[in-house]
Amino acid sequence: MPTPQAAYPIIRGTRFDHASAEISVNGTIFVGIESIDWSETLEPGIIRGTRPEKLARTLGEHDCEGSMTLPIEDAMSLIDGLGDGYMAVVFDIVLNYSNQGLNNTNVNLIGCRIKEHSTSSESGGDPVMVEFSLDVMRVEMNGRLAVPGMLV
């Protein structure tokens, strides 16, 4: 059943924010994740033949990627949990968003692997943060897949 669209304006209510999320990485909840981003694309192939306009398109190629930023202490905990060869270890990330009065929302980043990480440390009061770039195999939005007939 489709989730009903919210009525606007919202006078006595809220929307999800980052603090609404419970994020687990490889089965461990991390509360220090400063940011997490993901994207999903389905890029169609185009058929033009001898015409300048599109005549048809293919379903296309599906791709996913993501990133997350953590304080260095949490980043080291994640790396320790993944073990030696941590950039080759495959893991899942589960995001559960909940707020009183709102339907829970669930996003699963399936089959993640770290493909790059970077750290910046500079003088001042800001914490040392580590950004991980992720290769993601699949994204599930409330259990829904982006491509029909996708292998699970």
Side-chain angles (χ1 to χ4, degrees):
M1 171 180 253
T3 303
Q5 183 176 353
Y8 289 97
I10 299 173
I11 296 171
R12 291 186 181 90
T14 59
R15 283 286 174 248
F16 294 129
D17 59 14
H18 192 62
S20 304
E22 177 185 84
I23 305 170
S24 68
V25 180
N26 203 32
T28 301
I29 295 172
F30 284 85
V31 296
I33 294 177
E34 188 73 17
S35 68
I36 185 161
D37 300 287
W38 63 93
S39 66
E40 195 170 21
T41 60
L42 184 59
E43 190 65 40
I46 305 300
I47 299 170
R48 294 185 191 273
T50 60
R51 302 294 306 164
E53 72 271 14
K54 291 180 186 178
L55 298 175
R57 68 175 157 240
T58 67
L59 179 61
E61 293 184 337
H62 176 260
D63 202 6
C64 309
E65 63 182 11
S67 66
M68 63 181 173
T69 303
L70 297 84
I72 194 167
E73 299 86 357
D74 290 340
M76 291 306 153
S77 177
L78 171 62
I79 289 170
D80 287 344
L82 296 175
D84 285 334
Y86 64 90
M87 290 182 77
V89 175
V90 177
F91 57 91
D92 295 340
I93 299 174
V94 177
L95 298 96
N96 289 308
Y97 291 91
S98 62
N99 264 354
Q100 185 176 357
L102 296 176
N103 292 329
N104 289 352
T105 296
N106 174 267
V107 178
N108 294 321
L109 308 180
I110 307 296
C112 300
R113 246 182 58 187
I114 297 169
K115 64 179 184 178
E116 179 183 356
H117 57 83
S118 61
T119 307
S120 177
S121 180
E122 55 190 54
S123 65
D126 291 334
V128 176
M129 304 298 279
V130 178
E131 181 176 359
F132 293 97
S133 295
L134 305 171
D135 178 67
V136 180
M137 291 296 289
R138 185 173 73 231
V139 176
E140 293 178 357
M141 306 283 287
N142 275 345
R144 304 282 186 202
L145 299 173
V147 180
M150 202 170 198
L151 298 176
V152 294

